[in-house]
Amino acid sequence: MTTMIPKEGREDLLERGYSRRQFGRIAALLGMPVAAAAALPHLVGQARAVAPAIPEMHRPDKSGMVRIASNECWTGPFPSAAEAGAAVIKEGNRYEPSHLRDNLIDTAAKVEGLPATHILPWPGSSDPLSRVVVTFCSPTRGLVTADPTFEAAWRTGAWLNVKVTKVPLSARNNYATDVRAMLKADPNAGLYYICSPNNPTGTLTPIEDIAWLVDNKPAGAVVVVDEAYLHFAGTKSAAYLVAQNKDVVVLRTFSKLFGMAGLRLGFSFARPDLHARMMRYDGQSQSGTLSIVALAIGASSLAQAENIVARRKEMIAAREETFDYLRKRKIAFIPSNANMFMVNWNQPARHVKEQYAAQGIDIGRSWPIWPNMSRITVGSADEMKKFCAATDKVFA
C-alpha cells in the first residue's frame, strides 16, 4: 500500500497528520486508481458505499436533447485550433512529436504574463483540484469554500476526512464569495477555495477581496482560485498574485469557452515550490502525460484573442436575451457573469428538471442549500430560444 506513494510524499503526509490507512485513498485520487484498486480491493467497496457520487462519472446519453446542464460550450474548439489538433493525429505514434507541451506552456506564459516555471498543464482541472486538498489540508487544517460552489473539493475533503467549512452565499453582497466570512469561519484552515466566476451562480468575487484574503490568511495556508469560467467574464485574473510569488494556486480549464470538455486540458499556476509539493505524491505522472491533440489545440486556442472576445460576446448576447425573457415571465434568477445562472422555481428543482426533460431540454442540477433552484447553462442563441419555449409549456 505505502509503495504507491513515493517516500517523500509518505513522510509529508504522516508529518501533517494523515494516517497510513489513508495512503490508498490518496493514491486513488492522484492518478493511481488501478494500483490502488489492485492493492486495496476492500477500498473499492468502501468507495461505493461511503464516497459521494461523482456526477461527472455517470453521464447518460443526452445527444438527442438540448444540452444546457453541464456548463459545456455550445460549440467545439476554434476552427483553426481544431485544424492544429487534426494535424498532429498522424503523429500519434509519438509521445512527444515536437515540443507540444513546452509550446503550450510558453504560449500561456506570454498570454498570462507568468514565468514558464510557474505553469503546469493537466488533463483538465479536476486532478489539481483534488491534489491541492491533499497537499494543503490535513486532519488538523481544513478546507473553506462558499456554498454553493463546485463540489469537487468537498468530495475530496470528505473522502479524506478533512474538515470542510461551507460559507453560504448571500444576496446582500450579490452572491459574491465572502472572503472575510471564510476566514472567520476557520481562521486556521489549510486551504481557502474560491471559484470566480462561481459555479453554479456565475457571480464574481472582486479581485481586491481575493488579494485581501491572500494577505490575511493564516501562515502556511494557500488560497486556490478556480478560474474555469474567467474567459466568459473577461475580468482580471488572480494570476498576477502568482507572478508576485504569493501563496496562491490558480486553476484553469479548456473545457468551457475553448470548447474542449471532452479533450481534457487545464492548467495550474503557482510558485515552483507549491507545485513541487503538489507533485510529490505520484512522480509527476499526471501532468507529464497529456494528449498531443489536446496540447496542440490548447496552444492554438490561447493565442486567439479576437476569437475569445467574439465567443464571449456571443454567449453574453444569448444570456441577456434569456434574462430579458425571464424578467418578463417574472421568474426569479441570479444575474451572472459567466455561461450559467441559477433560476428559482419556488418548488423542488428535481421535479422541474423532469418537466424540462419531457420537452427535450436537459437543464442542470440543484445544490442542497438551494433545493428549489436549478443551474442553467447558456447554450447557443437557438438553444436558449428552445429553453424559453419549453419554459412557456412547463409554466403555462
Side-chain angles (χ1 to χ4, degrees):
M1 174 173 70
T2 59
T3 57
M4 288 182 289
I5 299 174
K7 181 181 178 182
E8 180 188 4
R10 299 197 304 271
E11 291 175 347
D12 163 72
L13 293 169
L14 290 171
E15 183 178 332
R16 291 190 292 117
Y18 286 103
S19 71
R20 293 181 183 277
R21 299 185 66 174
Q22 291 175 294
F23 287 175
R25 287 176 175 248
I26 292 168
L29 281 168
L30 303 182
M32 293 170 281
V34 175
L40 297 171
H42 67 279
L43 188 62
V44 177
Q46 278 188 325
R48 291 178 182 143
V50 178
I54 301 176
E56 293 84 352
M57 298 298 291
H58 304 280
R59 298 188 188 276
D61 183 5
K62 301 290 181 68
S63 55
M65 305 179 73
V66 172
R67 300 167 70 171
I68 51 174
S70 300
N71 290 353
E72 300 158 317
C73 192
W74 61 92
T75 188
F78 299 133
S80 59
E83 290 174 4
V88 303
I89 290 177
K90 64 181 181 295
E91 298 182 90
N93 57 309
R94 303 296 182 191
Y95 291 115
E96 177 58 279
S98 56
H99 305 291
L100 291 170
R101 187 176 186 274
D102 288 345
N103 183 45
L104 174 69
I105 292 172
D106 290 344
T107 302
K110 292 175 184 176
V111 171
E112 302 294 339
L114 287 172
T117 54
H118 289 48
I119 300 172
L120 277 181
W122 300 88
S125 59
S126 296
D127 180 290
L129 183 47
S130 288
R131 196 174 290 260
V132 292
V133 177
V134 173
T135 305
F136 304 113
C137 295
S138 71
T140 60
R141 303 200 70 172
L143 164 70
V144 185
T145 78
D147 189 11
T149 195
F150 184 48
E151 311 98 322
W154 297 350
R155 293 194 293 259
T156 301
W159 180 240
L160 297 177
N161 295 316
V162 165
K163 177 186 176 185
V164 178
T165 302
K166 303 174 185 178
V167 177
L169 297 180
S170 171
R172 63 179 170 75
N173 66 340
N174 298 315
Y175 300 99
T177 300
D178 188 337
V179 297
R180 288 166 175 80
M182 289 175 69
L183 185 59
K184 184 178 180 180
D186 188 348
N188 191 46
L191 180 69
Y192 297 88
Y193 170 79
I194 299 171
C195 187
S196 184
N198 186 46
N199 177 11
T201 58
T203 49
L204 287 163
T205 301
I207 194 69
E208 297 81 9
D209 288 0
I210 295 173
W212 180 90
L213 181 59
V214 172
D215 288 339
N216 289 275
K217 64 172 183 61
V222 168
V223 176
V224 172
V225 186
D226 187 341
E227 295 183 341
Y229 302 92
L230 184 78
H231 290 95
F232 278 125
T235 50
K236 185 175 181 178
S237 168
Y240 82 95
L241 296 169
V242 175
Q244 294 175 1
N245 290 315
K246 301 281 190 175
D247 292 332
V248 176
V249 177
V250 173
L251 301 179
R252 294 279 184 84
T253 181
F254 287 78
S255 297
K256 309 308 174 184
L257 183 141
F258 294 113
M260 293 176 61
L263 288 164
R264 312 310 302 142
L265 188 65
F267 282 129
S268 58
F269 303 151
R271 289 198 319 262
D273 65 293
L274 295 180
H275 272 150
R277 290 171 63 186
M278 291 167 59
M279 300 295 283
R280 71 178 76 186
Y281 309 109
D282 69 341
Q284 306 188 25
S285 62
Q286 288 299 297
S287 179
T289 307
L290 300 167
S291 162
I292 63 172
V293 175
L295 291 171
I297 296 176
S300 175
S301 298
L302 282 177
Q304 300 193 37
E306 291 184 2
N307 283 333
I308 291 171
V309 171
R311 187 167 285 188
R312 179 190 308 138
K313 288 181 177 179
E314 184 179 354
M315 183 280 298
I316 290 173
R319 184 186 69 201
E320 296 306 311
E321 185 174 342
T322 305
F323 285 176
D324 288 343
Y325 163 82
L326 292 172
R327 291 187 186 100
K328 291 175 184 176
R329 287 297 314 267
K330 301 187 184 309
I331 297 174
F333 65 94
I334 297 176
S336 164
N337 295 97
N339 68 322
M340 81 206 90
F341 55 93
M342 293 293 283
V343 179
N344 188 351
W345 311 116
N346 291 312
Q347 59 179 289
R350 66 182 184 277
H351 299 318
V352 177
K353 182 176 175 66
E354 292 169 356
Q355 294 176 65
Y356 274 98
Q359 300 294 325
I361 311 291
D362 182 34
I363 66 170
R365 63 189 185 275
S366 62
W367 269 248
I369 193 172
W370 292 344
N372 291 345
M373 301 179 75
S374 297
R375 185 187 67 189
I376 309 297
T377 300
V378 180
S380 67
D382 182 62
E383 287 173 331
M384 299 317 291
K385 285 182 172 63
K386 291 177 180 177
F387 165 74
C388 294
T391 303
D392 286 334
K393 294 179 180 178
V394 171
F395 298 98

